[in-house]
């Protein structure tokens, strides 16, 4: 059995590593503001311009996660279903746009034919 002195040294070293390690990481890690100040001015400007868009994307992501978590299914399964549904909706919207464009082209052709026929 180790002596009490060895046990104390072991406990002190363990406490130093368990408390001192994370404290050191916290101390040396830069804050977001410090990182931002180190950007060159061009990057700072771009970052400020894109901040609102990134925040909206993150808010949308969190909202989707909250919706997915309401289901009894695993989140990844619900997310896959939602992705598939969005893909189908986008394809349907694209088909509708193409049909509307084709109808517009046909209408213009008819207008051109009718105006050319009167000449």
């Amino acid at each position: 059995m180790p002596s009490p002195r060895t046990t104390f040294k072991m406990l002190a070293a363990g406490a130093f590593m368990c408390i001192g390690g994370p404290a050191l990481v916290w101390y040396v890690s830069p804050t977001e503001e410090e990182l931002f100040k180190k950007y060159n001015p061009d990057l700072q400007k771009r970052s400020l311009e894109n901040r609102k868009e990134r925040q909206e994307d993150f808010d949308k992501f969190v909202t989707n996660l909250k919706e997915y978590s309401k289901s009894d299914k695993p989140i990844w399964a619900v997310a896959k279903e939602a992705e598939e549904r969005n893909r189908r909706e986008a394809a349907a919207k694209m088909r509708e746009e193409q049909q509307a464009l084709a109808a517009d082209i046909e209408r213009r052709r008819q207008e051109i034919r009718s105006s050319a026929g009167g000449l």
Side-chain angles (χ1 to χ4, degrees), residues 8-19:
F8 176 75
K9 286 194 297 188
M10 179 191 63
L11 289 174
F16 178 75
M17 285 189 278
C18 290
I19 296 170

Side-chain angles (χ1 to χ4, degrees), residues 2 13 15 19 30 56 63 67 95 99 107 112-113:
I19 296 170
E56 288 173 357
T63 304
E67 289 296 319
R95 279 192 301 273
Q99 289 172 351
R107 182 185 55 79
I112 292 171
R113 286 181 185 153

Side-chain angles (χ1 to χ4, degrees), residues 89-105:
E89 289 173 0
K93 183 178 178 183
M94 173 108 39
R95 279 192 301 273
E96 289 174 5
E97 289 174 357
Q98 288 175 346
Q99 289 172 351
L101 187 59
D104 187 44
I105 290 171

Side-chain angles (χ1 to χ4, degrees), residues 50-110:
N50 296 334
R51 182 173 284 174
K52 184 176 180 182
E53 182 181 333
R54 283 193 321 251
Q55 185 63 39
E56 288 173 357
D57 288 345
F58 180 74
D59 290 343
K60 183 179 176 184
F61 174 73
V62 170
T63 304
N64 287 342
L65 278 182
K66 288 179 182 178
E67 289 296 319
Y68 299 160
S69 68
K70 291 179 182 177
S71 174
D72 292 337
K73 299 177 184 177
I75 289 178
W76 56 86
V78 178
K80 188 174 182 180
E81 290 172 3
E83 183 179 312
E84 184 63 33
R85 183 175 56 250
N86 290 341
R87 189 178 301 122
R88 283 192 305 250
E89 289 173 0
K93 183 178 178 183
M94 173 108 39
R95 279 192 301 273
E96 289 174 5
E97 289 174 357
Q98 288 175 346
Q99 289 172 351
L101 187 59
D104 187 44
I105 290 171
E106 188 59 33
R107 182 185 55 79
R108 288 183 184 183
R109 280 185 186 160
Q110 292 300 328

